Amino acid sequence: MQIPKTNVTLPNVVNTATKERKKKRYTGTTIVYVGLIVYFIVIAYPLLWMIISSFKSTDEIFTHSWSMPHTWLIENYVTAWKSGISSYFLNSVIVTGVSCFLTVLVSALGAYGLSRFEFQGKAFVLIICLGGLMLSPQVSLIPLYSIIQKLGIYNTHLALILPYVAYRIPLTILLIRAYFLSIPKELEEAARLDGCTSLGILFRIFIPMSTPILLTTTILTAYYTWNEFMFAIIFIDDDSLRTIPAGLMQFRDALQTDWGVLLAGLTISAAPIVMLFLFMQKYFIRGIANGSVK
Amino acid sequence: MLKRNKLTPYLYLLPAFAFLLLVYIPIFQNIWDSLYEWSTFSPDKVFVGIDNYVHLFKDPVFYQALKNNILYAVISIIFQVGGGLIVAAVLEDKLIRKFSPFFRTVYFLPVVVSMTVIALLFTFFYNPEVGLLNQVLKMIGLDSLAKPWLGDSDTAIYAVIAVSQWQSIGYIAMLYIVAIQKISPELYEAAEIDGANKFKMFFHITVPQTKEMTFVAVILTLTGAFTVFNEPYILTGGGPGTSSEVLSTYLYKTAFSKDMMGYASSIATVILIITLLLSLVQMKAFKTGKEDA
């Protein structure tokens, strides 16, 4: 029998139907929870294993892969830090910091130009920005390598910073521009009447009002630059200038037999971006969601 | 109205444009370079026309790499797009919602950890003697399946692809969660009143209502599959032999180990064409989508 779609309750019919459904739902829910937990273990255990094993000696990793460390070897972290990670870490902090600052500043200027002015060629400029989203770094690798050498910046932090900023600008401009477009025109006009210049309007009104999107884009840029690998192994050759992803390869080759120290190095490398994610989840997710649906 | 200097907007865009030259000049330079034979150590470029491309289309390693990229794409669409949608749908279900933020956070964690860290970590799991994967197989009595996953040319590419799936399902799931949250809850309520079960709701509401995101996810996944570099480079270096070579690792080797820059540029052009075609499809689909609305 079909239950009519009304708000009138039909006690006896609904009761048996819901009972039946509840029973079904109960087993269904159990299956779903089991699935979620199995998937949880598959994702979480490898990361947990990395942290736990980073406190073990190599022997203990081999013989007791699954158990907790007998004694927690904090020395692994000290050794990892001293045998290279500290310098990779510092390089990553410099490259990430400068790249984030430049990307957001240059993009905010560009987004302002694109959102508050009418000018010839505006459509073309937007296409150039959109187009930048589609070009993958692999395609530019060899010419970029030559350009960087010609500019005389091969083997310097700039060899990474300039391409990183260049590749992040299209997305960052588009995200900031969308936000700027939502700021009411009246604010700008009032400021203008008070004698504020356009640069003043950008820095005193637009930028302070756009903190959420600026945070989002900073986090996305940090995420990209902290983890970028291909440019990092090719545009820098000097071990003392390497960022973490490239440095870890060197680190692996040097410590092939010292698993505990290597795992400590991996844990140190992953920690900052994981922390950033845990504290700023909202901005992170908003960023990837907006970024994917251009 | 105050009079505005006509130059002002261009001045605001100038710094961005200066940087964008680094994105655009190399694209054209690369096509140009692919018509020459040259290396970093011999600065004289010899014009060879389309010889590099002729050579490329006869190169078995190129086909091996392309085949692996296609395999990457197919498996990634099944696991990342299919898996991501299911994970998202489950996490957004009312019954799970209480614990959903916790699971969501953990599932997304591998996305933020760099592939360098993940790939190095997985070399431990794949280790033939003491790796966890073989230990698990032995524990559950599947000793015969235990093998050197990365060292066997039959399994290397699958072992590499598996790591990518492990990392990226959470990313696509997160995109789907955002899409599912935009679906009007009334649709589900109406279906529930009609007596539809969860499966029906999934196939008749969730799947069609997230169609647009599916399209985005497919394009993202495809582009990712054809430009993948870190996983194969770190895990196997394209080996054993050329069994897990992909276009990007082959490009890298040709350029920086063999120093055949012109030839490598022609591989880069192939990657450009594939990714550009995918982007055009995406743009086109979105334009038509907007016209309908």
Side-chain angles (χ1 to χ4, degrees):
Chain A
M1 194 188 118
Q2 191 93 43
I3 302 169
K5 270 185 270 176
T6 55
N7 288 328
V8 186
T9 42
L10 299 165
N12 41 357
V13 182
V14 172
N15 260 348
T16 44
T18 41
K19 250 186 207 165
E20 190 95 328
R21 213 179 291 161
K22 262 188 187 157
K23 203 173 164 191
K24 250 192 197 165
R25 195 179 277 171
Y26 186 75
T27 43
T29 317
T30 314
I31 293 168
V32 165
Y33 270 109
V34 169
L36 281 175
I37 287 164
V38 169
Y39 186 46
F40 171 83
I41 293 168
V42 169
I43 294 295
Y45 187 74
L47 296 173
L48 213 60
W49 184 87
M50 173 175 84
I51 297 168
I52 292 168
S53 304
S54 69
F55 290 100
K56 292 179 181 174
S57 71
T58 312
D59 277 348
E60 204 185 342
I61 296 174
F62 284 174
T63 49
H64 299 96
S65 319
W66 304 91
S67 53
M68 294 302 265
H70 253 305
T71 45
W72 293 73
L73 291 179
I74 298 160
E75 294 97 281
N76 283 347
Y77 280 82
V78 179
T79 316
W81 187 253
K82 280 186 182 156
S83 50
I85 296 289
S86 59
S87 118
Y88 304 143
F89 201 92
L90 183 68
N91 290 326
S92 273
V93 169
I94 294 170
V95 170
T96 302
V98 178
S99 300
C100 285
F101 176 75
L102 277 178
T103 305
V104 175
L105 178 70
V106 170
S107 303
L109 289 170
Y112 185 60
L114 274 172
S115 60
R116 277 306 187 251
F117 296 88
E118 282 309 322
F119 58 92
Q120 254 197 332
K122 193 171 169 178
F124 175 72
V125 174
L126 262 175
I127 287 176
I128 295 281
C129 288
L130 263 170
L133 293 170
M134 304 169 184
L135 300 169
S136 66
Q138 278 91 346
V139 179
S140 305
L141 191 60
I142 296 164
L144 257 182
Y145 178 74
S146 316
I147 291 171
I148 281 165
Q149 279 182 325
K150 280 188 195 128
L151 290 174
I153 55 170
Y154 180 74
N155 240 343
T156 65
H157 286 142
L158 272 183
L160 296 181
I161 292 169
L162 297 186
Y164 288 172
V165 176
Y167 271 95
R168 293 317 291 177
I169 279 179
L171 178 66
T172 314
I173 284 194
L174 291 172
L175 291 179
I176 298 180
R177 173 181 167 268
Y179 203 90
F180 278 3
L181 284 174
S182 69
I183 295 179
K185 274 229 155 71
E186 290 75 25
L187 273 174
E188 190 190 348
E189 275 154 21
R192 207 171 272 277
L193 286 177
D194 289 344
C196 208
T197 60
S198 72
L199 202 64
I201 292 171
L202 171 63
F203 281 99
R204 292 199 198 147
I205 299 176
F206 277 67
I207 290 190
M209 282 184 76
S210 311
T211 327
I213 195 68
L214 297 180
L215 263 178
T216 300
T217 51
T218 306
I219 289 165
L220 285 181
T221 313
Y223 161 65
Y224 170 81
T225 46
W226 190 268
N227 291 344
E228 202 284 334
F229 177 71
M230 192 177 65
F231 287 166
I233 57 167
I234 297 170
F235 299 160
I236 285 185
D237 198 34
D238 188 337
D239 195 43
S240 66
L241 288 169
R242 279 187 210 281
T243 52
I244 283 178
L248 281 178
M249 296 299 283
Q250 201 71 30
F251 196 67
R252 167 180 72 173
D253 296 340
L255 288 161
Q256 210 122 48
T257 51
D258 215 338
W259 285 29
V261 177
L262 191 45
L263 287 166
L266 295 184
T267 309
I268 298 174
S269 309
I273 206 78
V274 170
M275 303 275 211
L276 188 70
F277 166 65
L278 291 177
F279 288 120
M280 313 283 259
Q281 249 191 81
K282 194 172 84 185
Y283 296 101
F284 218 105
I285 301 304
R286 191 183 294 161
I288 64 152
N290 290 342
S292 69
V293 198
K294 298 158 223 163
Chain B
M1 244 344 235
L2 283 168
K3 214 179 139 191
R4 287 181 176 183
N5 190 335
K6 271 189 173 168
L7 268 180
T8 316
Y10 297 106
L11 288 176
Y12 280 114
L13 282 154
L14 193 67
F17 259 70
F19 274 104
L20 285 173
L21 288 178
L22 280 179
V23 176
Y24 281 97
I25 291 177
I27 297 294
F28 297 104
Q29 181 73 44
N30 179 74
I31 296 170
W32 187 249
D33 282 350
S34 71
L35 304 174
Y36 289 83
E37 202 172 282
W38 58 292
S39 74
T40 29
F41 294 106
S42 63
D44 300 322
K45 294 183 180 179
V46 183
F47 185 79
V48 295
I50 58 160
D51 275 13
N52 284 325
Y53 293 95
V54 174
H55 181 177
L56 190 65
F57 288 110
K58 287 181 189 158
D59 181 350
V61 184
F62 167 72
Y63 287 105
Q64 170 82 57
L66 192 62
K67 208 179 86 190
N68 282 339
N69 280 115
I70 294 170
L71 191 65
Y72 231 110
V74 173
I75 296 181
S76 298
I77 285 185
I78 298 170
F79 281 91
Q80 288 173 38
V81 182
L85 175 58
I86 293 169
V87 170
V90 169
L91 287 180
E92 277 304 300
D93 193 280
K94 313 201 270 278
L95 294 169
I96 310 292
R97 219 165 261 173
K98 205 167 29 160
F99 303 101
S100 162
F102 170 74
F103 284 119
R104 205 188 303 167
T105 304
V106 174
Y107 293 167
F108 195 73
L109 268 185
V111 180
V112 297
V113 177
S114 77
M115 188 35 90
T116 325
V117 169
I118 288 171
L120 290 175
L121 180 61
F122 271 80
T123 54
F124 291 114
F125 300 145
Y126 284 135
N127 185 292
E129 288 94 44
V130 288
L132 296 193
L133 182 55
N134 282 347
Q135 283 192 41
V136 170
L137 288 173
K138 281 172 192 160
M139 229 182 273
I140 55 176
L142 294 168
D143 301 47
S144 55
L145 282 180
K147 61 175 81 186
W149 296 94
L150 294 171
D152 183 327
S153 55
D154 289 332
T155 55
I157 185 67
Y158 294 98
V160 171
I161 295 174
V163 177
S164 305
Q165 311 311 312
W166 183 83
Q167 186 193 34
S168 299
I169 293 174
Y171 179 79
I172 302 290
M174 197 61 77
L175 295 180
Y176 270 121
I177 286 175
V178 175
I180 292 174
Q181 283 172 348
K182 287 185 185 142
I183 302 174
S184 155
E186 283 144 32
L187 284 176
Y188 291 107
E189 282 158 21
E192 203 167 2
I193 292 167
D194 285 349
N197 62 27
K198 297 277 178 194
F199 283 104
K200 278 206 168 127
M201 288 192 212
F202 177 76
F203 285 109
H204 293 287
I205 301 174
T206 313
V207 173
Q209 292 288 321
T210 53
K211 207 171 59 190
E212 218 169 275
M213 184 54 86
T214 301
F215 189 76
V216 172
V218 167
I219 297 280
L220 275 177
T221 312
L222 281 175
T223 312
F226 282 100
T227 54
V228 65
F229 174 75
N230 301 2
E231 295 91 315
Y233 177 83
I234 299 167
L235 284 161
T236 62
T242 55
S243 61
S244 61
E245 207 77 83
V246 289
L247 290 176
S248 295
T249 54
Y250 192 44
L251 159 72
Y252 172 86
K253 270 187 208 167
T254 312
F256 299 102
S257 312
K258 297 188 204 150
D259 201 12
M260 294 160 68
M261 290 295 188
Y263 193 48
S265 301
S266 68
I267 303 173
T269 309
V270 172
I271 300 178
L272 172 71
I273 292 169
I274 296 172
T275 49
L276 224 51
L277 281 177
L278 290 171
S279 309
L280 286 176
V281 172
Q282 181 178 24
M283 283 213 322
K284 186 127 196 181
F286 269 86
K287 240 187 205 145
T288 46
K290 265 174 202 141
E291 273 161 13
D292 289 344

